[in-house]
């Protein structure tokens, strides 16, 4: 038997059972149903199953409706009632899935917006429309003498109450694979579960059977039944909360139908209306409580994740308020390490305390002007650490806007570039020495020659190589890359870029210190040098990132070269004090297919980050289809 037929038969059987409950258990002696359960079964199934199942569901449900209504109504009336229920649920399912924005399940009961959409569609669109058709069947087919508007109101509220009370829990049970892993059920022990169920049934018994609101116990109102469902909704999530709320709703409906409810009034119509309003308000409160708490938990988790990411970055990050004196309200650990100040010495102060006795720098004035205009700015500025030492930093400031579009905060990202500035000053000093040597050429020929050779050698090293590892620097690699693009464009050849990033370098650097980090960088550069061809260009791209420019890469096996790099780096051991340090590397490879050198590097960078996300210590080859081949 096909799976689709089994599913439809299962839904039909559940629909039939719920229809009998609606007719025999939750209806008043006058025949008015306090709530109508079977439509919740059909709507939950339509929201869960693909649309190819819907025709089969309609047929099975129509048969179930006829069987349930046959003792009380003619066949033609039962058919019409079934068609009305099918149309009601189909309209609701189509509209809900059309306007639902959830990506995982529609609707998502842990999202307040999705819950509000469901209530709006069910209570104000699908149910009143279905009530018009149902009332018409009573008035013009069965010739019921009751007023049309009374029948319409009874049908409307009965359907809406059943759908709102039972559809959420049934839909979440049908989609348990999605809701069960996300819920907090496992955090509740057996004692808590037993207490919730016992409390639910006990409070229902006290309110609906004992009559706890009468006499001297008047203070204990029917609101007592909210205790367990509300606790479950807030602590354990939408599924437990909606399940207990549905239990209370069914208990209230059964008690009212048997004449034991505190909501009994003079007429069946007013009694049904009162208990339906109570059930609807109760269900709405519990479901929204669960949705808002679940949404808050997700947002809090996202905020913790974002904060962890900011704390893990090697760059200093701070946030200031936009008004008044722009006091600092947040700074990460890297910022404190960079400046030497503690958190309590930073928060609440304006960033100008880092300028010390140099508050009138032209760069500082530009920053003030950008903040006044509420514009982003990128600038290099000099600041002072707590111990008084000067450091240069590349500062990026961006305004943050609130929901009204008004600037509420500024975010600053600081990168220490003191080493680069120092190298630049060294280069300027060397150039000055060269100029002085040229001016005294006739007097100090031999001395000039020696100094000139030394200066040229140092100038070349500073200009073309990395002073720590001795390999090419970024400027040299960029120049070689652009030249290779021109050569390949003319000759029709090709080249590839390997982008290498040392895994967990920051943690090793933080744990063992910068001296150990420098030793790791040197050993890494040596291991890579031994893994590539002599004709290829290898250099330091920045920080712990290195780049290999592979010439005529169509003539070699790039994957084999990359695997050799992975192997040699993994086997490399760096002795430091009593430790033997070891690192791995993530490699991204991209082949030039036209365009600029920067484009090829960007593709290699994407592949390298894919290697990082795939577990590190591996290589990934970039593919033009945006898919990557990983080792």
């Amino acid at each position: 038997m096909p799976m689709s037929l089994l599913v439809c038969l299962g839904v039909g059987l559940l629909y039939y059972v719920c229809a009998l409950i609606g007719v025999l258990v939750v209806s008043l002696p006058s025949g008015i149903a306090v709530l109508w359960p079977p439509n919740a079964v059909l709507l939950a199934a339509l929201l869960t199953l693909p649309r190819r199942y819907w025709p089969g569901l309609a047929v099975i449900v129509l048969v179930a409706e006829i069987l349930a209504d046959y003792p009380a109504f003619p066949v033609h009336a039962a058919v019409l009632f079934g068609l009305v229920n099918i149309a009601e649920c189909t309209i609701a399912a189509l509209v809900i899935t059309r306007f639902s924005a959830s990506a995982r399940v529609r609707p998502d009961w842990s999202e307040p917006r999705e819950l509000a959409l469901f209530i709006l569609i069910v209570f104000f669109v699908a149910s009143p429309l279905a009530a018009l058709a149902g009332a018409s069947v009573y008035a013009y087919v069965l010739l019921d003498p009751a007023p049309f508007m009374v029948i319409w109101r009874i049908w409307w509220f009965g359907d809406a109450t059943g759908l709102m009370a039972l559809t959420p829990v049934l839909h979440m049970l049908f989609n348990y694979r999605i809701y069960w892993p996300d819920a907090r059920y496992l955090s509740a022990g057996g004692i808590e579960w037993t207490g919730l169920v016992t409390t639910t049934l006990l409070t229902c018994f006290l309110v609906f059977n004992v009559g706890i609101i009468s006499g001297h116990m008047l203070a204990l109102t029917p609101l007592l039944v909210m205790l367990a469902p509300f606790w479950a909704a807030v602590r354990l999530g939408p599924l437990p909360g909606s399940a207990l709320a549905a239990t209370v709703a069914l208990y209230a409906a059964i008690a009212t139908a048997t004449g034991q409810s505190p909501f009994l009034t003079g007429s069946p119509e007013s009694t049904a209306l009162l208990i339906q309003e109570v059930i609807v308000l109760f269900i709405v409160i519990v479901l929204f409580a669960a949705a808002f708490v679940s949404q808050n938990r997700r947002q809090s988790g996202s905020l913790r994740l974002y904060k962890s990411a900011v704390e893990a970055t090697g760059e200093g990050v701070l946030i200031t308020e936009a008004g008044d004196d722009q006091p600092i309200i947040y700074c990460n650990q890297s910022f404190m390490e960079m400046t030497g100040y503690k958190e309590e010495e930073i928060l609440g102060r304006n960033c100008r305390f880092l300028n010390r006795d140099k508050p009138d720098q032209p760069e500082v004035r530009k920053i003030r002007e950008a903040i006044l205009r509420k514009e982003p700015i990128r600038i290099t500025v000099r600041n002072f650490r707590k111990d008084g030492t000067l450091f240069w930093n590349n500062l990026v400031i961006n305004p943050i806007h609130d929901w009204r579009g008004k600037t509420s905060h500024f975010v600053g990202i600081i990168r220490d570039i003191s080493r680069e500035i120092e190298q630049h000053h060294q280069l300027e000093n060397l150039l000055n020495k060269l100029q002085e040597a040229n001016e005294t050429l006739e007097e100090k020929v031999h001395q000039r020659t020696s100094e000139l050779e030394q200066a040229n050698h140092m100038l070349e090293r500073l200009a073309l190589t990395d002073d720590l590892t001795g390999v090419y620097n970024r400027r040299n690699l960029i120049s070689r890359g652009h030249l290779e693009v021109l050569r390949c464009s003319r000759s029709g050849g090709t080249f590839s870029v390997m982008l290498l990033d040392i895994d967990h370098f920051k943690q090793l650097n933080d744990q063992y210190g910068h001296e150990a980090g420098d030793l790791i960088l040197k050993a890494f550069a040596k291991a890579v040098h031994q893994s590539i061809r002599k004709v290829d260009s290898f250099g330091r791209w920045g920080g712990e990132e290195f780049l290999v420019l592979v010439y005529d890469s169509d003539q070699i096996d790039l994957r084999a070269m990359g695997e050799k790099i992975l192997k040699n780096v993994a086997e490399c051991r760096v002795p430091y004090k009593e430790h033997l340090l070891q690192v791995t590397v993530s490699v991204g490879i991209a082949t030039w297919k036209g365009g600029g050198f920067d484009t090829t590097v960007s593709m290699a960078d994407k592949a390298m980050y894919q290697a990082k996300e795939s577990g590190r210590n591996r290589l990934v080859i970039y593919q033009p289809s945006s898919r990557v081949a990983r080792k």
Side-chain angles (χ1 to χ4, degrees):
M1 184 178 293
M3 179 59 68
S4 59
L5 181 58
L6 288 175
V7 171
C8 292
L9 288 174
V11 173
L13 178 60
L14 185 58
Y15 182 96
Y16 174 73
V17 172
C18 289
L20 291 180
I21 293 174
V23 173
L24 303 177
V25 181
V26 295
S27 293
L28 298 175
S30 62
I32 298 175
V34 175
L35 57 83
W36 185 244
N39 285 6
V41 175
L42 178 56
L43 180 55
L46 293 176
L47 292 172
T48 302
L49 298 173
R51 292 189 182 181
R52 65 177 183 274
Y53 285 78
W54 290 16
L57 285 176
V59 173
I60 296 295
V61 164
L62 185 59
V63 173
E65 181 73 29
I66 295 172
L67 293 176
D69 290 346
Y70 181 72
F73 298 100
V75 173
H76 66 280
V79 170
L80 292 175
F81 289 150
L83 293 175
V84 170
N85 291 337
I86 293 170
E88 175 183 12
C89 295
T90 302
I91 291 173
L94 288 173
V95 178
I96 290 172
T97 54
R98 168 64 179 81
F99 291 100
S100 174
S102 175
R104 64 172 192 166
V105 63
R106 298 182 179 182
D108 187 347
W109 305 103
S110 60
E111 286 288 346
R113 179 189 178 280
E114 301 282 303
L115 179 58
L117 173 67
F118 166 78
I119 294 173
L120 177 66
I121 299 304
V122 165
F123 197 86
F124 295 103
V125 179
S127 293
L129 289 177
L132 287 175
S136 298
V137 173
Y138 270 101
Y140 303 115
V141 176
L142 298 178
L143 303 177
D144 194 307
F148 183 88
M149 295 303 295
V150 173
I151 300 174
W152 173 69
R153 204 282 312 161
I154 292 173
W155 187 297
W156 172 11
F157 277 70
D159 276 15
T161 304
L163 288 172
M164 292 176 63
L166 301 177
T167 301
V169 63
L170 290 173
H171 182 255
M172 282 186 273
L173 290 174
F174 291 165
N175 294 274
Y176 70 95
R177 289 188 180 90
I178 296 176
Y179 282 96
W180 186 264
D182 291 346
R184 298 167 57 88
Y185 320 133
L186 299 180
S187 64
I191 296 177
E192 183 174 0
W193 278 106
T194 303
L196 287 172
V197 175
T198 303
T199 302
T200 300
L201 297 177
L202 179 61
T203 53
C204 287
F205 176 76
L206 292 174
V207 169
F208 294 104
N209 295 101
V210 177
I212 199 170
I213 66 169
S214 61
H216 64 281
M217 303 186 75
L218 184 62
L220 299 176
T221 70
L223 292 176
L224 191 65
V225 299
M226 291 187 61
L227 178 62
F230 195 81
W231 173 267
V234 172
R235 171 163 158 69
L236 303 179
L239 180 52
S242 64
L244 293 181
T247 302
V248 173
L250 288 173
Y251 199 111
I254 295 172
T256 303
T258 56
Q260 302 181 68
S261 172
F263 300 101
L264 297 175
T265 61
S267 67
E269 291 81 5
S270 59
T271 296
L273 177 61
L274 180 59
I275 190 63
Q276 287 165 348
E277 290 178 346
V278 170
I279 291 174
V280 167
L281 290 175
F282 167 72
I283 292 295
V284 167
I285 291 173
V286 172
L287 291 180
F288 269 110
F292 278 115
V293 171
S294 298
Q295 184 187 62
N296 183 67
R297 287 196 183 110
R298 285 197 305 273
Q299 292 176 347
S300 298
S302 298
L303 289 176
R304 287 193 295 269
L305 176 61
Y306 299 152
K307 183 177 180 180
S308 299
V310 171
E311 291 291 344
T313 184
E315 298 178 339
V317 178
L318 57 85
I319 301 176
T320 72
E321 293 182 356
D324 299 330
D325 199 32
Q326 292 90 45
I328 300 172
I329 62 173
Y330 169 80
C331 64
N332 68 347
Q333 184 65 32
S334 295
F335 181 82
M336 290 185 279
E337 294 174 356
M338 189 181 301
T339 61
Y341 288 93
K342 297 180 181 179
E343 185 177 34
E344 57 269 21
E345 297 174 315
I346 297 173
L347 299 184
R349 302 176 68 180
N350 186 281
C351 297
R352 72 173 68 93
F353 76 92
L354 295 173
N355 304 142
R356 291 260 177 135
D357 56 346
K358 304 291 184 181
D360 295 325
Q361 299 179 59
E363 294 80 8
V364 174
R365 289 197 296 270
K366 292 180 181 179
I367 293 173
R368 292 172 182 167
E369 293 171 359
I371 290 176
L372 288 175
R373 296 193 299 268
K374 295 180 173 54
E375 295 177 350
I377 185 173
R378 180 187 295 269
I379 197 168
T380 298
V381 64
R382 57 180 177 175
N383 291 133
F384 294 88
R385 298 184 177 92
K386 183 179 179 180
D387 60 8
T389 58
L390 181 145
F391 73 100
W392 292 86
N393 61 80
N394 187 293
L395 174 62
V396 178
I397 299 178
N398 284 300
I400 302 299
H401 304 96
D402 59 18
W403 61 273
R404 298 168 297 181
K406 183 180 179 181
T407 301
S408 59
H409 298 83
F410 289 97
V411 173
I413 302 176
I414 299 174
R415 185 168 65 90
D416 189 345
I417 58 170
S418 299
R419 177 175 292 184
E420 290 87 337
I421 295 296
E422 182 180 355
Q423 290 179 347
H424 178 72
H425 290 164
Q426 290 178 359
L427 185 60
E428 288 183 343
N429 292 334
L430 290 172
L431 292 174
N432 291 333
K433 289 182 179 180
L434 288 175
Q435 184 177 359
E436 293 175 0
N438 286 325
E439 292 175 354
T440 60
L441 180 60
E442 294 181 358
E443 298 178 0
K444 300 180 179 180
V445 175
H446 298 291
Q447 181 180 356
R448 173 192 173 279
T449 302
S450 175
E451 291 180 352
L452 182 60
E453 290 177 352
Q454 180 181 0
N456 283 333
H457 176 74
M458 186 175 295
L459 179 62
E460 181 179 1
R461 184 173 65 83
L462 289 172
L464 301 179
T465 62
D466 177 64
D467 63 336
L468 176 64
T469 60
V471 298
Y472 293 145
N473 62 14
R474 184 186 184 108
R475 183 187 299 108
N476 194 349
L477 289 171
I478 292 174
S479 176
R480 290 171 179 265
H482 289 316
L483 290 176
E484 186 62 7
V485 169
L486 294 176
R487 186 187 71 81
C488 292
S489 298
R490 294 193 299 266
S491 65
T494 188
F495 69 92
S496 296
V497 170
M498 288 186 174
L499 198 59
L500 297 77
D501 188 278
I502 301 175
D503 296 329
H504 304 298
F505 177 79
K506 184 180 184 298
Q507 290 89 327
L508 289 172
N509 207 34
D510 292 342
Q511 182 176 357
Y512 298 104
H514 293 290
E515 182 180 356
D518 291 345
L519 291 175
I520 291 173
L521 291 174
K522 292 177 182 178
F524 174 83
K526 183 178 179 181
V528 176
H529 239 315
Q530 295 172 350
S531 307
I532 64 176
R533 304 177 305 175
K534 292 184 178 181
V535 298
D536 298 326
S537 297
F538 170 58
R540 186 176 180 185
W541 193 246
E544 65 269 27
E545 287 189 358
F546 291 76
L547 185 143
V548 180
L549 192 59
V550 184
Y551 303 105
D552 299 320
S553 58
D554 56 343
Q555 300 179 11
I556 65 169
D557 188 346
L558 289 171
R559 182 175 292 278
M561 178 184 287
E563 290 174 352
K564 185 176 181 182
I565 293 174
L566 292 175
K567 178 176 179 296
N568 287 350
V569 171
E571 293 176 353
C572 179
R573 302 292 185 274
V574 182
Y576 178 70
K577 296 182 179 179
E578 68 273 18
H579 302 284
L580 197 60
L581 306 181
Q582 180 183 4
V583 297
T584 59
V585 63
S586 297
V587 182
I589 303 176
T591 299
W592 179 78
K593 300 293 184 180
F597 176 69
D598 293 341
T599 302
T600 307
V601 173
S602 177
M603 293 189 295
D605 185 71
K606 292 179 181 177
M608 183 266 290
Y609 273 100
Q610 181 67 29
K612 288 283 188 185
E613 295 172 354
S614 300
R616 295 182 170 85
N617 191 23
R618 62 193 63 206
L619 66 86
V620 171
I621 300 176
Y622 182 85
Q623 301 293 343
S625 60
S626 295
R627 297 182 179 178
V628 291
R630 67 174 71 99
K631 176 190 172 189

